[in-house]
Amino acid sequence: MCDNRCMASRSTRYRDTSGKALTDYPRPSVAVDTAVLSVSPDDQLCVLLVRRAGTHKRGAWQLPGTFLHPGETLGRAALRALSDKAGVTGLAPVQLAVFDDPDRDDRGWVLSAAHLDVVPWDRVAGLGALADGVQVTPVSQSRGLAFDHDRIVDLAVIRLRTEYQQSPDPRGLLGDPFTLLQLQRLHEAVAGEPRRKDSCRRLRAPTLEPTGGVLEGVVGKPARLFQHREPQRQLGGGHG
Amino acid sequence: MCDNRCMASRSTRYRDTSGKALTDYPRPSVAVDTAVLSVSPDDQLCVLLVRRAGTHKRGAWQLPGTFLHPGETLGRAALRALSDKAGVTGLAPVQLAVFDDPDRDDRGWVLSAAHLDVVPWDRVAGLGALADGVQVTPVSQSRGLAFDHDRIVDLAVIRLRTEYQQSPDPRGLLGDPFTLLQLQRLHEAVAGEPRRKDSCRRLRAPTLEPTGGVLEGVVGKPARLFQHREPQRQLGGGHG
DNA sequence: GAAATAGTGTCTTTGAGACAATATCCT
DNA sequence: AGGATATTGTCTCAAAGACACTATTTC
């Protein structure tokens, strides 16, 4: 597979077909901006925002992002940004799209590789103790972000919805023993519209693993408990 | 929307939160590699390949690509690469994914923004006169490409199939007056498996515009002619 | 009339949506 | 018992698949 890669040392200045050396080309900065989505305990689809540096006006909020470092993958850069800018430990960022308008950033030529990460609520706002300059807002109230970050949020929500149409809880937002009603509430939060009790139930239940236990201590017939069939995903599925 | 963008001139060296100037960061080269897919007259799904510069061994073929130039969109760079490297006029490249393995290119740190373009056959191999070092091969025989281009072809085919599951001919591979049998053949080529005559017909016909004309001069009952409802897409839908 | 291709009638299956009835628990 | 919630029975409807039949042309 790499038979002709090993024939030259790393420092050689290769030339492309036009005869120009690789390092002669002007290169863009590559930013990684991530929409971290989660569902709050009151079933609201929320996004993680950070205050834009050096401003307190409108457009003062944006998605956590950073510039890609040498030797780093986009996914790692996304996780680093979440940790550094928001104090949040991400899970498995996936690429959404590259925003490539040459004028999209007034600091210069910056491409933005937009990402989506989905994390359980207690991981993003667990103790109610968010760092300063960090907030988690319902996506419906997140309009007016800096740069083109509104559009990134749009893409992220669309992507999340299509993922959750395919399987019950692909991103493990729920956490292991859960009832079918909790699953229904989650889907309503993600889709942004109500779901029929029985439709949702019949569609998803066959693909879930019943624990055998039931939810106790509440009024009404106790709900059966279920768990995920397959382990939730961690980082590692990026496009190398 | 951009109220606070106009407050500073373009040459100012902005600093991010860590205090580092934008131009101080090492930046990757950004390549744009495009899988151009088409369907041959004998109903084979094909991909456009170019010979890798300076080699005649295995792995000698690759997708046409180039480095992104300043002020240029990814889509424009993809079209430029098709024109310069293969002498082909592309149509509407769409992003597939960014390949970001730091070691994926032995020339250095190169990200690849993989694209898909779909063009009618006569546009890619019209006169049978392909430029030297250019070929159009069935995708099934395209294995062993340079870099990670095999995976780009895989992504492109998957994407094309999902697009063609949604509507009859979203990329205008057919060209305006066509019969339902031609449409069926096209879908079989894209999907790589046979389709029922009546299913295919009943599913797609209602969304097509009959021209009123029929195909003449062939034995059997003459087939009705159809045309596309909406104009085919050109470049312009990129993520700004 | 025979061959060849286009187009349709209809049966079956599947899956989702909707409504309502039944089951089981807590207080 | 009574309220509250979970679970299931069943009807309907729409879409797709499969098969076979009918229709219209050329030779």
Side-chain angles (χ1 to χ4, degrees):
Chain A
M1 164 183 174
C2 63
D3 39 4
N4 47 14
R5 289 200 181 186
C6 345
M7 289 162 37
S9 82
R10 210 62 190 306
S11 55
T12 310
R13 281 169 45 131
Y14 280 77
R15 295 174 180 280
D16 78 351
T17 48
S18 65
K20 231 178 180 179
L22 187 56
T23 49
D24 290 341
Y25 283 105
R27 284 156 296 165
S29 299
V30 174
V32 178
D33 296 310
T34 305
V36 176
L37 297 183
S38 191
V39 172
S40 66
D42 60 326
D43 299 309
Q44 292 256 328
L45 182 59
C46 296
V47 60
L48 176 73
L49 302 177
V50 300
R51 190 182 296 278
R52 197 177 175 191
T55 172
H56 287 274
K57 295 182 294 290
R58 181 168 159 275
W61 294 92
Q62 65 172 50
L63 299 178
T66 185
F67 288 109
L68 184 65
H69 288 354
E72 191 179 43
T73 57
L74 293 169
R76 288 287 164 201
L79 292 178
R80 176 170 55 78
L82 297 189
S83 172
D84 291 357
K85 302 290 175 69
V88 166
T89 306
L91 272 175
V94 294
Q95 295 179 21
L96 292 175
V98 177
F99 287 74
D100 60 350
D101 183 348
D103 299 320
R104 61 174 291 281
D105 193 318
D106 50 14
R107 291 171 300 184
W109 187 22
V110 180
L111 299 184
S112 169
H115 282 68
L116 159 68
D117 201 359
V118 186
V119 300
W121 181 257
D122 47 343
R123 196 154 182 159
V124 65
L127 317 156
L130 278 173
D132 197 38
V134 180
Q135 66 168 337
V136 183
T137 334
V139 288
S140 54
Q141 299 167 27
S142 74
R143 295 286 120 176
L145 302 182
F147 307 109
D148 36 26
H149 290 188
D150 280 353
R151 294 173 59 196
I152 297 181
V153 173
D154 289 341
L155 281 182
V157 170
I158 290 174
R159 171 66 170 268
L160 184 71
R161 285 181 180 158
T162 65
E163 281 193 21
Y164 270 79
Q165 278 171 4
Q166 323 252 338
S167 68
D169 186 16
R171 296 302 195 110
L173 277 173
L174 225 36
D176 235 354
F178 57 88
T179 73
L180 290 178
L181 183 58
Q182 289 175 305
L183 184 65
Q184 178 186 347
R185 293 274 150 73
L186 172 62
H187 273 88
E188 289 175 334
V190 168
E193 57 185 31
R195 289 273 174 268
R196 304 275 156 186
K197 178 171 58 171
D198 45 3
S199 309
C200 185
R201 180 174 298 258
R202 256 185 280 257
L203 183 58
R204 309 299 183 179
T207 72
L208 295 174
E209 190 77 30
T211 69
V214 293
L215 190 64
E216 298 182 17
V218 292
V219 346
K221 180 171 175 176
R224 285 186 300 168
L225 290 175
F226 293 84
Q227 60 192 11
H228 295 97
R229 268 258 163 78
E230 293 160 25
Q232 263 18 73
R233 78 171 82 174
Q234 292 290 114
L235 183 61
H239 295 283
Chain B
M1 164 183 175
C2 62
D3 39 4
N4 48 15
R5 289 202 180 182
C6 347
M7 291 163 36
S9 82
R10 209 63 191 304
S11 54
T12 311
R13 280 172 43 133
Y14 279 76
R15 296 174 179 279
D16 77 352
T17 49
S18 66
K20 232 178 179 181
L22 188 56
T23 49
D24 290 342
Y25 284 104
R27 283 155 297 165
S29 299
V30 174
V32 179
D33 296 310
T34 306
V36 175
L37 297 183
S38 190
V39 172
S40 67
D42 59 326
D43 299 307
Q44 292 256 328
L45 183 59
C46 297
V47 59
L48 176 73
L49 302 178
V50 299
R51 189 183 297 279
R52 197 177 174 190
T55 171
H56 287 273
K57 296 184 293 290
R58 180 169 159 277
W61 294 92
Q62 66 172 51
L63 299 178
T66 185
F67 289 110
L68 184 65
H69 289 354
E72 191 180 42
T73 311
L74 292 170
R76 288 286 163 201
L79 292 178
R80 177 170 53 79
L82 297 188
S83 172
D84 291 357
K85 303 289 175 68
V88 166
T89 306
L91 272 175
V94 294
Q95 294 179 21
L96 292 175
V98 177
F99 287 74
D100 60 350
D101 183 348
D103 299 321
R104 60 174 292 281
D105 193 318
D106 49 16
R107 292 170 299 183
W109 187 21
V110 180
L111 300 183
S112 169
H115 281 67
L116 159 68
D117 201 358
V118 186
V119 299
W121 181 256
D122 46 343
R123 196 155 182 157
V124 67
L127 316 155
L130 278 173
D132 197 40
V134 180
Q135 66 167 337
V136 183
T137 333
V139 287
S140 54
Q141 299 167 28
S142 74
R143 295 285 118 174
L145 302 182
F147 307 108
D148 35 27
H149 289 188
D150 280 353
R151 294 174 58 196
I152 298 182
V153 173
D154 289 341
L155 281 183
V157 170
I158 290 174
R159 171 66 169 267
L160 184 70
R161 285 181 180 158
T162 64
E163 280 192 22
Y164 270 78
Q165 279 171 4
Q166 323 251 339
S167 67
D169 186 16
R171 296 303 195 109
L173 277 173
L174 225 36
D176 236 355
F178 57 89
T179 73
L180 290 178
L181 182 58
Q182 289 175 304
L183 184 65
Q184 178 185 347
R185 292 276 150 72
L186 171 61
H187 273 88
E188 290 175 334
V190 168
E193 59 185 29
R195 290 274 174 266
R196 304 274 157 188
K197 177 173 61 170
D198 46 3
S199 309
C200 186
R201 182 173 297 257
R202 257 185 277 258
L203 182 59
R204 309 299 184 178
T207 72
L208 295 173
E209 190 76 29
T211 69
V214 293
L215 191 64
E216 298 182 17
V218 293
V219 352
K221 180 172 175 177
R224 285 187 299 170
L225 290 175
F226 293 85
Q227 60 191 11
H228 295 97
R229 267 257 164 79
E230 293 161 24
Q232 265 14 76
R233 78 170 83 174
Q234 292 290 114
L235 182 61
H239 294 285

